[in-house]
Amino acid sequence: MAIPNHSDGQWPKDVGILGLEIYFPRQYVSQEELEVAGGISAGKYTKGLEQDRMGFCNDREDIHSISLTVVDTMLSRYGLSPAQIGRLEVGTETILDKSKSVKTVLMQLFRDSGNHDVEGLDTTNACYGGTSAIFNSINWIESSSWDGRYALVVAADIAVYAPGPARPTGGAGAVAVLIGPNAPLVFERGLRSTFMDHTYDFYKPNLSSEYAVVDGGATMSCYLGALDECYAGYCRKAKAVTGGDFDLSKADYVLFHSPFTKMVRKSLGRLLLSDALNVPSVVQQRPELEPLVGRTLKDTMGDRTVEQLLVKSSSDLWTAKTDLSTLTGRRIGNMYTASLYGCLASLLAQKSAKDLENQRILMYSYGSGMAASMYSIRCESSPDRAVTLDSLCTSLASLPERLLAREAVSASDYAAVMSLREETHHAAPYAPISPVSTLWPGTFYLDSIDEMHRRQYLIHGKEEADKQLSRVPLTVPQTNGH
């Protein structure tokens, strides 16, 4: 593609997601085992949190390695040369170095192509960094700075907690998002609402530890309060754009950042409450919500009776609009910045292009501290897309099977791995001891750390991984014009 000329004032058309790639560790521990090992009542994690399994990384993997893996796989699957990437931005809260960015580590994948002209760095604010990186990339493509190349966003994190009630809400994973014009998943222009504030609901002040300081009650209230504000803002903007009131009937799917699945279920009920308070027809269709008329979002916050009523009333919406998207959250856990985009991958993996044609996906992103946004994606299935919607769905169709192919680890072995990570966090020099055989083929892994904290990575089973990889054609290939 020639370097674009924006002198005519035209925007690049249909900017959005061309490709998604998801990586998660090969090992997991079951939540049932964690209940037994912790002496917790049965169902505390599996029913109370609605979590099934939790993925985790041993000492062979870190934020650099999982990011290298997901980018390398993305490039291979889509047949991309690194020279076709003009912007690479990483959203993460997993910090190994207070100066050197994860993005610069990823640049080793670009050396052989000779492409060092790549904008973007790391973006950090709890679980929100991936969304911010995506917004930045879209803005780049829609600006005078764009040179015609793709943008690539990496949302990646390793979520670990100290022993205690928060530990079962961990997880690990990475999602790479390829962004460009003429996309099958188009970000709807003008339909984005953001809410930011200063809170201490979840934060990481101890730079020598992987663990966060968490105020559990506060972080749930902050999440839901920001959701209320973002949805109200989205509805106002949707009315300005379309001329009509917006409610959940206008969204075909509703996806949320997923700390744990029960939180997502409560969040959908919260949106139904907003509709009931603002759209009279909603209460007419759901008379069980009549007692809530006259209440406010603020005075219902934390009211468990209201919460239970909303969860029950929204159960049909859950089945139709949200449930499929919780696959990765239930089976991997909280991937922090990658969580929302794992939900998107889950939906695409279980739906066909025909199912998704002309559908709207409402997305809610939240990061503690706090930063939150709601926006929407429109699915386009026309065959002239740079990547067809059918190809995108097909590329992710093996996700459920991949989740089932992982290796179960006992709760005691999981605890030993967590202890090892804690003991060796930022150790230098250090030689990892976990077997490389615990990794998927095609995984980058940490080989060594020298006395100056310099990390060296190798790749496990690259040839085998390439043979197994399904390819996605880019039907309108782009070049950087160099």
Side-chain angles (χ1 to χ4, degrees):
M1 177 183 285
I3 294 176
N5 180 353
H6 295 307
S7 60
D8 58 1
Q10 296 295 310
W11 297 97
K13 184 181 178 183
D14 290 345
V15 177
I17 296 174
L18 296 165
L20 277 176
E21 188 65 47
I22 182 168
Y23 171 78
F24 45 85
R26 189 175 187 177
Q27 294 184 312
Y28 74 89
V29 61
S30 82
Q31 295 287 357
E32 286 184 350
E33 280 219 23
L34 290 178
E35 289 172 348
V36 173
I40 305 299
S41 58
K44 178 74 172 180
Y45 304 151
T46 53
K47 294 181 181 178
L49 299 178
E50 295 191 45
Q51 294 298 109
D52 298 334
R53 300 170 180 178
M54 182 170 61
F56 64 93
C57 295
N58 59 36
D59 66 339
R60 284 291 181 182
E61 294 189 278
D62 59 21
I63 187 60
H64 295 164
S65 70
I66 67 174
S67 298
L68 285 163
T69 298
V70 79
V71 171
D72 185 64
T73 306
M74 165 71 82
L75 295 175
S76 296
R77 188 183 303 280
Y78 285 81
L80 284 164
S81 164
Q84 293 174 276
I85 306 299
R87 183 179 182 88
L88 172 60
E89 188 163 346
V90 178
T92 186
E93 61 172 281
T94 306
I95 308 300
L96 286 177
D97 192 289
K98 291 180 285 185
S99 176
K100 182 175 173 59
S101 67
V102 178
K103 186 270 181 69
T104 60
V105 175
L106 296 178
M107 288 306 298
Q108 63 190 282
L109 299 177
F110 290 65
R111 281 178 181 157
D112 289 347
S113 72
N115 179 23
H116 299 274
D117 179 13
V118 185
E119 296 189 7
L121 282 169
D122 292 2
T123 299
T124 299
N125 187 86
C127 304
Y128 184 81
T131 294
S132 183
I134 286 174
F135 289 170
N136 291 343
S137 296
I138 291 171
N139 293 342
W140 174 70
I141 291 174
E142 294 183 342
S143 77
S144 61
S145 297
W146 187 49
D147 62 5
R149 291 183 290 169
Y150 298 116
L152 184 58
V153 168
V154 178
D157 273 301
I158 298 171
V160 292
Y161 294 90
R167 176 157 276 190
T169 62
V175 174
V177 185
L178 184 66
I179 297 175
N182 198 30
L185 301 181
V186 181
F187 282 70
E188 294 194 287
R189 191 181 304 281
L191 298 182
R192 181 197 302 177
S193 173
T194 291
F195 181 80
M196 299 204 180
D197 201 358
H198 169 53
T199 62
Y200 278 113
D201 56 314
F202 169 109
Y203 53 107
K204 295 179 178 176
N206 184 356
L207 300 181
S208 66
S209 171
E210 290 191 284
Y211 301 144
V213 176
V214 185
D215 183 333
T219 199
M220 287 189 285
S221 295
C222 288
Y223 179 107
L224 294 174
L227 174 65
D228 291 345
E229 295 290 345
C230 285
Y231 188 54
Y234 182 93
C235 290
R236 286 193 299 271
K237 292 184 178 182
K239 186 171 185 177
V241 170
T242 66
D245 289 331
F246 184 91
D247 60 56
L248 288 175
S249 68
K250 307 295 195 308
D252 300 288
Y253 301 98
V254 188
L255 278 53
F256 302 84
H257 166 61
S258 181
F260 50 90
T261 307
K262 181 59 73 65
M263 191 70 186
V264 176
R265 193 183 292 273
K266 293 178 181 179
S267 299
L268 184 64
R270 195 77 190 166
L271 296 189
L272 179 60
L273 173 62
S274 293
D275 284 354
L277 298 179
N278 293 288
V279 184
S281 62
V282 171
V283 177
Q284 293 169 7
Q285 296 164 6
R286 299 174 186 269
E288 69 274 14
L289 300 180
E290 182 69 36
L292 301 180
V293 174
R295 300 286 297 271
T296 66
L297 292 171
K298 185 176 182 179
D299 76 31
T300 57
M301 185 68 72
D303 187 323
R304 297 199 64 172
T305 300
V306 171
E307 183 180 274
Q308 290 168 2
L309 172 62
L310 293 169
V311 166
K312 184 176 180 180
S313 183
S314 63
S315 61
D316 60 322
L317 300 176
W318 173 264
T319 301
K321 300 176 184 288
T322 304
D323 189 27
L324 286 179
S325 70
T326 65
L327 176 65
T328 52
R330 290 177 188 272
R331 298 291 181 87
I332 300 172
N334 189 358
M335 297 184 286
Y336 286 169
T337 57
S339 170
L340 178 60
Y341 303 98
C343 292
L344 181 58
S346 297
L347 177 65
L348 297 173
Q350 298 174 88
K351 287 289 184 177
S352 68
K354 185 176 180 181
D355 294 331
L356 296 171
E357 185 176 3
N358 298 321
Q359 303 282 281
R360 170 181 283 147
I361 304 173
L362 193 64
M363 307 275 286
Y364 175 62
S365 180
Y366 176 80
S368 294
M370 66 168 87
S373 290
M374 181 171 284
Y375 63 94
S376 52
I377 291 171
R378 186 181 75 253
C379 301
E380 293 287 347
S381 62
S382 57
D384 63 346
R385 300 282 111 179
V387 172
T388 65
L389 185 57
D390 181 66
S391 293
L392 180 54
C393 291
T394 300
S395 74
L396 293 163
S398 64
L399 176 56
E401 181 181 340
R402 289 169 58 199
L403 288 167
L404 291 173
R406 292 176 299 165
E407 175 190 353
V409 171
S410 70
S412 59
D413 285 348
Y414 162 75
V417 169
M418 291 299 100
S419 295
L420 177 64
R421 288 187 66 91
E422 183 175 347
E423 293 164 4
T424 60
H425 184 61
H426 281 310
Y430 179 66
I433 62 174
S434 297
V436 175
S437 60
T438 60
L439 308 175
W440 299 108
T443 300
F444 280 79
Y445 64 91
L446 180 63
D447 181 58
S448 64
I449 305 173
D450 71 12
E451 65 280 357
M452 294 182 67
H453 291 267
R454 293 175 298 193
R455 294 171 177 248
Q456 298 297 320
Y457 298 90
L458 299 175
I459 187 168
H460 167 61
K462 173 66 171 172
E463 185 176 340
E464 179 184 351
D466 283 345
K467 288 179 180 178
Q468 297 174 356
L469 193 67
S470 62
R471 276 14 188 230
V472 177
L474 279 164
T475 57
V476 186
Q478 301 187 41
T479 66
N480 64 4
H482 290 183

